[in-house]
Amino acid sequence: MGKSNKLVLIDGNSIAYRAFFALPLLNNDKGVYTNAVYGFTQMLLKILEDEKPTHMLVAFDAGKTTFRHKTFGEYKGGRQKTPPELSEQFPFIRQLLDAFQIKRYELENYEADDIIGTLASHAADGDWDVKVFTGDKDLLQLVTPDVEVVLTRKGITEVEAYTVEQVNERYGITPDQIIDMKGLMGDPSDNIPGVPGVGEKTAIKLIKQFGSIEKVLDSIDGISGAKLKERLTENKDQALMSKELATITKEAPVEISLDETNYKGFENSLVFPLFKELGFNSLLERLGGDEEIPQETEKEELTYKNATSIEPDMLKSPSSLVVETLTEDYHKAKIHGFALSNESGTFYISSNLAEKSEDFKAWLEDENQKKKMFDAKRAHVALHGQGITLNGIEFDVQLASYLLNPSESLDDVADVAKQYGKLNVDANEAVYGKGAKKKLPEEDVLAEHLSRKAHTIFRLSDILAEKLKENEQSDLFYHLEMPLALVLAKMEEYGVKVKADTLQKMGTDLELQVTSLEKEIHDLAGVAFNINSPKQLGEILFEKLNLPAIKKTKTGYSTSVDVLEKLEGKHEIINKILIYRQLGKLKSTYIEGLLKVVKEDTGRIHTRFNQVLAQTGRLSSIDPNLQNIPIRLEAGRKIRHAFVASKPGWKILAADYSQIELRVLAHISQDENLIEAFKTEMDVHTKTAMDVFHVEEGEVTSEMRRHAKAVNFGIVYGISDYGLSQSLGITRKEAGEFIKSYLESFPGVQQYMKDSITDAKQNGYVSTLLHRRRYLPEINSRNFNLRSFAERTAMNTPIQGTAADIIKKAMVDMDQRLSEEKLEAKMLLTVHDELIFEVPEEELQKLEQIVCEVMEQAVELDVPLKVDVNWGDSWFEAK
DNA sequence: TCTCACACGC
DNA sequence: GACGTACGTGTGAGAT
């Protein structure tokens, strides 16, 4: 022992069987049997702990027949079928190994034994210690001075290791004589016949005396006992064949090298979710996976002070700060109280007291007084509404938590606290109620709640800061997301001017059209019904008018656009319904929806950007959503006429990144072909069409370009072949061909796709250029859908997320530049790959130049970033 | 108050 | 070959 490499080889099937029969039939909360998986896991953990292997592999039997069946058709005949309760557990065992990042291997026509034998012999160069774990004594034949075989005894974790000496001690023969012994005595479990009447005792005696089967058979005359002689003579061939069957081959065509079995340990982030799914709580606990699941159900006591006056001692730096607002919309929201926590203690400050204190106000505005907060943007905007400018925001627990894991829910301090095992703060909903019943509690309840929040934020901030550092996300946090929050706050507060009368006029026009369409549709149907009700519409189309129902939903007929489009031409009513839908959508969502949120006094709309929601790192926009204002169809696009500059003589300027995702893809994948396309400023869809359809530039038809564009779209959004087939109206097979052809044309992209998945499987997450993360625990799922989805996400998120990083960076830089250059122009909106400004006419040229510069230089990629700028009197004209 | 089907943008 | 297919937000209908 003590060589540089330690290889552990596990006989997967054998250990799984052992575990299955050794443990009672456990099942998890979903009714799936897990006893074999559980036992297997226990065994694995013990091996990892005891052996600390540098290399590891688990071998499985593949299929039913092996090369041994050619020698003897009845090999392993008469064996009991694997119980279904066990076979259903094998997928989990594979999933388990993947989660542990342990190599597993199976080989057509060979048994696990042969894989193990072959790899063990590959390791026989003196540099390796090998340990084989199995329940099958046959494997003892593999024992050498370098190879130990460990047999399971009772249960699963009780084992017995065999060295050469121990084999000799137990059987009195050498390990390579095991096969001779087997040849003579046979093995009923594998249906190996051997020599009738010869059992273990006789076999060992003979082998000890003569050395091997061959020598025994050569020396039959010298054997004592007439009966035994006769049997040996009669079953000569059978004995030799039995030996052959019992021999584990060391020359299986194993395609895996020892290097590839290298084992670097496992990631809790991959193993814990699976343990949770399987219900292995005790194992979770053993690995420390329950650290995040607090055991105590009682809140700890918190000492806080309900301040009656603002004392200098209370206002420390750093402090955590809670600024409580209850309405979802924080613009001009009422502030119901404050709390802060710092080295002096935790204090509740009523809004009354706060309002009267100049000291407190000064502290809030002091850049040098550092504050740790939860959702600082909300507080910042709300305070601004009271004439206070919040400065010195140092840490936002909500934002930090989002970067650490965007999939966790983080509406509330309690959500984040729970993730880090802290239970000392209640959810807002528990304190205030929800919906119509939401209300302010008694002041002492409020005081305690806010104090607890402040205290928790103070404690969490250090923990989260440390984690960000570990993840190399500090830069992303401090220099991108934190400053961005304030840029967004500014944009939200400033708002965007919308001409209500323009919307109103459009609304009146639409009203007329909708009403007349409604009448025509009712006439065609022969009955009045609610066209907006998919249920009623379905009944009319597919029952009354007997049109063919193409698709069904859970609740009835589908009446979605793609269904209706297929029915166009079959009945006059279809086209009218499509137009009715389109106009109805414009009217309700965009005209009426927007009018509802225009502030009467200012004529502006103040959306809110959610910075902690989208899994890819993008921003989202609510109340209203200004990121889905129509553009594709002319009728809808007209809505943009209503979005104008807020001052006379000012213009709207829109700057959008051209093909940012594909440029990012070119950079990340380093695909030479794609990089070249962007460096030479080719039209990327045309270029794609040329490569996919193998034609020259001049031969690209608009149909080819359309298809190429859809493929690019699919690559960027991570859609499947099915998704592509739907968007192009072609078969899935054809779509698959397109994708295949695309990947052949862009081999760097293909490699990137593969690497992304491998990356995700290995780390449990994927990352963007600026180290944004997305965890994909389902990447190793045995469920095809979940796994495929995770795989597409693994390929897509680095692209979309990096694009998000870039535009966010551009926004932060742009905000800085606008003030440095003392421009009056204002950044108003961001729509994923574009920035919208309003700008005095005289600044147009300068802004255009600065915007291009800032956006194109936001990060440096191996392909140029390109920005298109347009401006006009309204958002419609800025196209 | 919730879920569903649908539709808009990137 | 299965399986059911980017991310968001908002609308009206209909069941609870």
Side-chain angles (χ1 to χ4, degrees):
Chain A
M1 289 292 161
K3 298 178 188 127
S4 51
N5 295 312
K6 177 152 193 179
L7 172 65
V8 163
L9 297 167
I10 298 176
D11 183 343
N13 292 72
S14 166
I15 299 294
Y17 265 86
R18 273 281 158 164
F20 180 75
F21 289 111
L23 296 172
L25 260 183
L26 316 161
N27 52 29
N28 73 355
D29 52 9
K30 289 168 199 107
V32 179
Y33 293 113
T34 54
N35 60 333
V37 193
Y38 185 77
F40 203 104
T41 313
Q42 277 192 303
M43 182 85 177
L44 270 186
L45 288 172
K46 187 173 155 52
I47 291 173
L48 290 175
E49 200 171 302
D50 294 351
E51 310 293 340
K52 302 197 169 46
T54 60
H55 294 71
M56 198 160 176
L57 178 134
V58 179
F60 287 98
D61 297 341
K64 271 192 175 154
T65 57
T66 68
F67 69 93
R68 289 185 179 84
H69 288 89
K70 282 192 188 145
T71 310
F72 184 51
E74 290 92 59
Y75 176 66
K76 289 204 172 172
R79 237 193 204 193
Q80 288 253 313
K81 205 171 159 282
T82 307
E85 294 85 354
L86 172 58
S87 31
E88 70 180 39
Q89 295 186 54
F90 275 100
F92 285 106
I93 291 175
R94 296 203 175 87
Q95 207 183 332
L96 178 84
L97 293 168
D98 290 345
F100 270 96
Q101 295 168 257
I102 295 170
K103 267 266 175 313
R104 54 183 171 83
Y105 193 68
E106 55 183 63
L107 185 61
E108 197 70 17
N109 280 327
Y110 290 84
E111 293 175 57
D113 304 3
D114 302 312
I115 298 169
I116 291 174
T118 303
L119 283 170
S121 81
H122 288 176
D125 65 359
D127 250 0
W128 297 78
D129 277 326
V130 181
K131 275 204 180 183
V132 175
F133 287 80
T134 179
D136 185 350
K137 291 191 180 67
D138 278 9
L139 274 84
L140 288 174
Q141 64 184 274
L142 298 176
V143 172
T144 70
D146 295 330
V147 179
E148 265 183 46
V149 170
V150 184
L151 293 180
T152 52
R153 273 170 51 124
K154 263 189 1 209
I156 11 135
T157 45
E158 220 178 295
V159 294
E160 197 170 18
Y162 281 84
T163 59
V164 176
E165 290 74 37
Q166 277 146 342
V167 171
N168 198 275
E169 215 172 279
R170 166 72 177 76
Y171 295 100
I173 54 175
T174 62
D176 45 355
Q177 287 173 326
I178 296 273
I179 49 178
D180 296 282
M181 176 180 98
K182 281 268 161 160
L184 288 175
M185 65 184 270
D187 183 344
S189 74
D190 285 345
N191 206 28
I192 296 177
V195 177
V198 175
E200 185 177 312
K201 290 273 157 55
T202 317
I204 292 177
K205 197 185 90 196
L206 290 170
I207 297 302
K208 268 170 113 170
Q209 191 180 347
F210 297 98
S212 70
I213 287 196
E214 290 79 5
K215 285 185 184 147
V216 169
L217 298 175
D218 282 348
S219 335
I220 287 183
D221 293 345
I223 293 170
S224 55
K227 193 80 185 163
L228 180 59
K229 261 187 208 172
E230 187 191 317
R231 281 183 167 146
L232 284 169
T233 316
E234 273 175 19
N235 294 292
K236 228 176 170 175
D237 292 343
Q238 191 165 303
L240 289 168
M241 179 194 80
S242 296
K243 176 176 174 179
E244 192 185 332
L245 288 174
T247 306
I248 292 170
T249 179
K250 292 174 180 170
E251 282 156 1
V254 168
E255 285 164 338
I256 201 163
S257 71
L258 289 174
D259 281 347
E260 287 173 81
T261 68
N262 184 249
Y263 189 65
K264 297 197 185 71
F266 61 90
E267 295 273 338
N268 289 346
S269 60
L270 290 174
V271 172
F272 290 174
L274 181 61
F275 280 9
K276 276 183 195 153
E277 187 190 341
L278 292 166
F280 292 174
N281 296 325
S282 60
L283 291 179
L284 258 180
E285 196 171 332
R286 181 166 148 199
L287 295 184
D290 63 331
E291 274 171 12
E292 294 177 5
I293 312 162
Q295 298 300 306
E296 79 272 32
T297 46
E298 267 178 45
K299 288 196 285 189
E300 58 184 76
E301 281 298 311
L302 172 72
T303 317
Y304 66 93
K305 198 175 158 210
N306 188 337
T308 48
S309 64
I310 304 289
E311 304 297 333
D313 194 40
M314 290 160 49
L315 304 178
K316 294 276 177 177
S317 174
S319 278
S320 62
L321 168 68
V322 171
V323 180
E324 193 70 341
T325 45
L326 258 64
T327 47
E328 216 188 313
D329 183 357
Y330 47 74
H331 290 275
K332 299 281 160 68
K334 187 165 166 45
I335 294 169
H336 295 282
F338 298 81
L340 39 90
S341 187
N342 53 42
E343 56 173 42
S344 304
T346 301
F347 310 91
Y348 163 73
I349 298 168
S350 71
S351 49
N352 238 330
L353 178 58
E355 264 168 42
K356 285 185 288 193
S357 170
E358 282 305 315
D359 287 349
F360 186 54
K361 184 180 175 204
W363 181 80
L364 290 173
E365 296 199 322
D366 189 342
E367 175 67 36
N368 295 315
Q369 297 295 312
K370 299 302 179 194
K371 290 105 183 165
K372 301 165 185 294
M373 308 188 66
F374 183 95
D375 194 357
K377 172 155 68 77
R378 164 177 283 268
H380 190 273
V381 174
L383 280 170
H384 233 186
Q386 319 284 316
I388 296 167
T389 304
L390 181 60
N391 283 313
I393 303 165
E394 183 189 52
F395 199 93
D396 188 327
V397 166
Q398 190 189 31
L399 265 179
S401 173
Y402 170 70
L403 292 186
L404 290 170
N405 190 348
S407 71
E408 294 285 355
S409 98
L410 15 86
D411 296 336
D412 203 319
V413 178
D415 285 334
V416 179
K418 215 166 143 194
Q419 288 171 47
Y420 296 91
K422 313 229 175 296
L423 269 186
N424 55 332
V425 58
D426 285 326
N428 285 330
E429 211 175 280
V431 178
Y432 303 128
K434 65 169 177 175
K437 281 177 251 156
K438 189 168 180 174
K439 64 169 201 300
L440 211 57
E442 297 293 314
E443 194 174 15
D444 54 335
V445 175
L446 179 71
E448 172 159 354
H449 183 53
L450 299 195
S451 298
R452 285 184 177 277
K453 286 212 267 192
H455 182 65
T456 305
I457 291 167
F458 195 70
R459 289 202 297 171
L460 281 176
S461 60
D462 286 343
I463 300 173
L464 297 190
E466 190 51 43
K467 294 209 179 252
L468 288 169
K469 209 159 124 196
E470 279 170 31
N471 288 3
E472 297 186 300
Q473 292 182 303
S474 298
D475 241 22
L476 175 66
F477 178 74
Y478 292 106
H479 300 129
L480 189 71
E481 299 289 354
M482 286 293 295
L484 179 66
L486 295 184
V487 174
L488 293 172
K490 211 191 277 186
M491 291 163 63
E492 293 177 11
E493 276 182 66
Y494 189 80
V496 48
K497 169 90 173 173
V498 169
K499 280 162 76 180
D501 52 344
T502 305
L503 288 179
Q504 237 128 31
K505 196 175 163 304
M506 291 177 73
T508 318
D509 287 353
L510 283 171
E511 174 74 46
L512 286 173
Q513 294 180 60
V514 167
T515 315
S516 93
L517 271 168
E518 187 181 14
K519 189 175 178 312
E520 291 176 53
I521 290 166
H522 288 168
D523 285 348
L524 285 166
V527 59
F529 67 101
N530 186 344
I531 309 168
N532 286 322
S533 160
K535 188 166 174 276
Q536 294 183 32
L537 180 61
E539 281 159 14
I540 296 286
L541 293 181
F542 306 116
E543 286 171 17
K544 187 146 192 301
L545 300 179
N546 271 322
L547 291 163
I550 295 167
K551 209 167 72 180
K552 285 216 151 198
T553 66
K554 265 184 279 185
T555 46
Y557 306 106
S558 168
T559 65
S560 61
V561 193
D562 52 312
V563 171
L564 294 186
E565 274 171 354
K566 291 197 178 86
L567 296 173
E568 255 189 311
K570 286 212 169 28
H571 198 291
E572 237 186 305
I573 198 171
I574 301 296
N575 189 254
K576 295 195 189 298
I577 291 167
L578 284 166
I579 300 174
Y580 175 91
R581 279 253 179 91
Q582 196 196 333
L583 300 182
K585 171 82 178 175
L586 287 178
K587 184 164 169 287
S588 66
T589 304
Y590 296 105
I591 305 288
E592 287 159 10
L594 284 174
L595 280 171
K596 261 185 247 169
V597 292
V598 178
K599 298 203 59 172
E600 279 201 18
D601 47 343
T602 60
R604 289 174 197 251
I605 282 180
H606 304 269
T607 187
R608 302 196 305 282
F609 292 105
N610 196 336
Q611 199 182 350
V612 294
L613 188 137
Q615 300 298 301
T616 50
R618 277 182 168 184
L619 297 166
S620 72
S621 151
I622 52 166
D623 235 13
N625 181 355
L626 290 181
Q627 298 189 319
N628 70 344
I629 303 300
I631 189 163
R632 238 181 65 245
L633 299 170
E634 193 59 23
R637 191 172 195 156
K638 290 204 173 104
I639 302 276
R640 295 176 176 231
H641 278 303
F643 289 78
V644 294
S646 65
K647 292 170 188 159
W650 285 40
K651 304 285 178 193
I652 295 287
L653 180 144
D656 66 288
Y657 279 114
S658 155
Q659 305 295 355
I660 187 166
E661 281 98 350
L662 290 174
R663 286 170 199 265
V664 165
L665 175 61
H667 174 84
I668 300 184
S669 71
Q670 286 291 308
D671 183 281
E672 287 173 23
N673 198 12
L674 200 53
I675 289 178
E676 185 62 21
F678 284 118
K679 282 196 171 161
T680 55
E681 302 206 344
M682 279 188 79
D683 175 294
V684 69
H685 301 315
T686 304
K687 166 71 178 160
T688 307
M690 287 163 60
D691 291 341
V692 170
F693 299 108
H694 308 291
V695 294
E696 294 298 314
E697 191 166 356
E699 297 165 343
V700 174
T701 63
S702 62
E703 180 76 354
M704 287 176 182
R705 188 176 179 281
R706 189 175 71 87
H707 281 160
K709 191 173 169 181
V711 174
N712 280 330
F713 181 86
I715 298 287
V716 167
Y717 288 111
I719 62 172
S720 56
D721 53 357
Y722 180 87
L724 181 64
S725 74
Q726 291 296 297
S727 72
L728 282 177
I730 57 178
T731 67
R732 211 177 96 187
K733 200 168 159 226
E734 287 168 322
E737 298 286 329
F738 277 157
I739 293 173
K740 191 161 159 268
S741 175
Y742 175 93
L743 292 174
E744 278 162 11
S745 308
F746 298 95
V749 173
Q750 179 155 42
Q751 190 57 45
Y752 157 76
M753 300 288 177
K754 277 191 196 149
D755 293 347
S756 281
I757 293 171
T758 313
D759 225 46
K761 282 189 198 280
Q762 247 162 36
N763 302 319
Y765 62 86
V766 288
S767 3
T768 67
L769 189 68
L770 302 187
H771 301 182
R772 188 183 305 284
R773 280 188 184 189
R774 182 172 186 180
Y775 287 89
L776 301 169
E778 284 161 348
I779 195 91
N780 290 316
S781 170
R782 86 213 117 80
N783 176 316
F784 175 88
N785 287 324
L786 294 180
R787 190 179 62 247
S788 309
F789 182 59
E791 286 174 357
R792 292 204 301 276
T793 309
M795 302 186 270
N796 156 253
T797 294
I799 304 173
Q800 220 187 101
T802 299
D805 292 349
I806 294 173
I807 194 153
K808 282 177 161 178
K809 175 81 170 14
M811 290 174 73
V812 172
D813 293 350
M814 199 58 214
D815 179 71
Q816 171 91 9
R817 277 297 285 279
L818 284 177
S819 70
E820 276 170 14
E821 307 271 349
K822 299 200 167 37
L823 290 179
E824 278 193 77
K826 294 282 191 294
M827 187 152 53
L828 303 177
L829 296 175
T830 167
V831 188
H832 306 310
D833 65 353
E834 75 178 315
L835 297 180
I836 321 286
F837 301 82
E838 65 174 30
V839 51
E841 201 158 359
E842 58 274 19
E843 284 182 9
L844 264 175
Q845 254 196 321
K846 183 144 194 203
L847 181 66
E848 176 167 359
Q849 180 242 320
I850 289 173
V851 165
C852 286
E853 190 184 314
V854 167
M855 287 175 78
E856 288 176 358
Q857 310 299 319
V859 296
E860 174 136 356
L861 302 183
D862 292 333
V863 290
L865 284 172
K866 190 166 163 271
V867 171
D868 295 322
V869 178
N870 293 287
W871 55 269
D873 283 328
S874 73
W875 196 4
F876 184 91
E877 275 104 29
K879 61 174 177 187

